[in-house]
Amino acid sequence: MSIKLHKGDIPADLDFGKILAIDTETMGLNNHRDPLCLVQLSSGDGNAHIVQLDRKTYDAPNLKALLADEKVLKIFHYARFDVAVIKKYLKLDCGPVYCTRTASRLARTYTDRHGLKQCCRELLGIELNKQQQSSDWGAAELKDVQLEYAASDVYHLHALKEKLDIMLEREGRAELAQKCFEFLPVRAELDLTGWPDEDIFAHV
Ligand code: MN
């Protein structure tokens, strides 16, 4: 497994194939307050590319083209958050989307533990170290432990998708999952436009 850090943008000739694992790190979980700092990418080959964004300009044309490329499926864990921050800070609609957390919620109804850590443990037998989850992602020089943590969030998403697709198929929910993935950008937009906590479909 190798990690490559890119300052500002990815090189134009980097090819991630048709299915991209992606995650972001921000200064916090409030998407209006906390800016996007990193975007982590992996083609599922065991290598990770980490883009450390210029938070003054967010000038990253190659990354933006990749994220907006409709021919590349993006796998996230909890896409709702990442799609919203990408829309807000990179000013683009990232898609099409697959969310392993949403897939897990639809397939693994026997548990309420849908964190990446729990999914990796149960479905892949892999233990993730979440110690750097809350760390200063805005630092100019990121520590090796931070880079390793950030990368570990994208290493296993392809494998998780494979396992979850089998479960969704088995439970007859693959189509419903697909419809949810297609709705996720709308859910993210509601988060950004003033309905973060409300279920607008609820009667009260
Ligand atoms: Mn992460």
Side-chain angles (χ1 to χ4, degrees):
M1 292 198 183
S2 85
I3 302 171
K4 242 203 177 83
L5 177 65
H6 305 279
K7 299 222 174 191
D9 198 2
I10 47 170
D13 58 358
L14 213 52
D15 185 7
F16 288 94
K18 290 287 166 239
I19 307 181
L20 175 71
I22 165 165
D23 185 35
T24 65
E25 301 301 336
T26 59
M27 284 302 289
L29 295 179
N30 178 331
N31 52 32
H32 289 288
R33 182 193 62 193
D34 304 325
L36 173 63
C37 300
L38 306 184
V39 176
Q40 307 99 278
L41 309 163
S42 179
S43 65
D45 63 355
N47 300 312
H49 293 263
I50 300 180
V51 189
Q52 188 176 28
L53 292 156
D54 178 344
R55 292 198 276 144
K56 287 195 189 74
T57 63
Y58 288 107
D59 182 29
N62 299 331
L63 175 68
K64 288 177 186 178
L66 175 66
L67 298 186
D69 187 343
E70 287 176 12
K71 296 187 294 302
V72 178
L73 178 68
K74 286 88 180 175
I75 316 174
F76 294 91
H77 191 82
Y78 200 44
R80 177 177 168 179
F81 178 78
D82 301 287
V83 167
V85 288
I86 287 168
K87 188 175 177 69
K88 182 171 170 73
Y89 294 97
L90 301 183
K91 314 266 187 246
L92 64 94
D93 292 310
C94 181
V97 164
Y98 183 105
C99 177
T100 49
R101 189 179 179 101
T102 304
S104 174
R105 289 196 68 155
L106 289 169
R108 295 170 66 245
T109 43
Y110 51 83
T111 177
D112 56 4
R113 306 199 60 169
H114 301 285
L116 183 61
K117 193 181 170 77
Q118 285 80 31
C119 289
C120 282
R121 179 187 293 148
E122 185 193 301
L123 300 175
L124 306 175
I126 290 169
E127 278 301 323
L128 289 186
N129 180 352
K130 281 277 173 191
Q131 263 171 24
Q132 294 295 317
Q133 187 159 31
S134 319
S135 68
D136 179 10
W137 297 110
E141 295 302 325
L142 295 164
K143 298 190 198 90
D144 284 348
V145 283
Q146 285 183 295
L147 294 176
E148 277 156 29
Y149 167 77
S152 72
D153 274 353
V154 289
Y155 282 145
H156 308 298
L157 297 183
H158 288 75
L160 275 184
K161 176 182 180 297
E162 271 181 39
K163 295 277 183 188
L164 287 163
D165 279 346
I166 292 167
M167 292 180 82
L168 285 169
E169 201 59 59
R170 191 189 74 196
E171 300 305 319
R173 298 196 189 116
E175 228 174 285
L176 180 60
Q178 183 52 38
K179 290 175 189 162
C180 292
F181 302 150
E182 286 164 20
F183 179 72
L184 267 167
V186 182
R187 182 57 264 190
E189 195 170 345
L190 287 165
D191 287 340
L192 291 174
T193 47
W195 292 271
D197 303 315
E198 275 169 75
D199 174 3
I200 61 162
F201 303 107
H203 185 241
V204 285

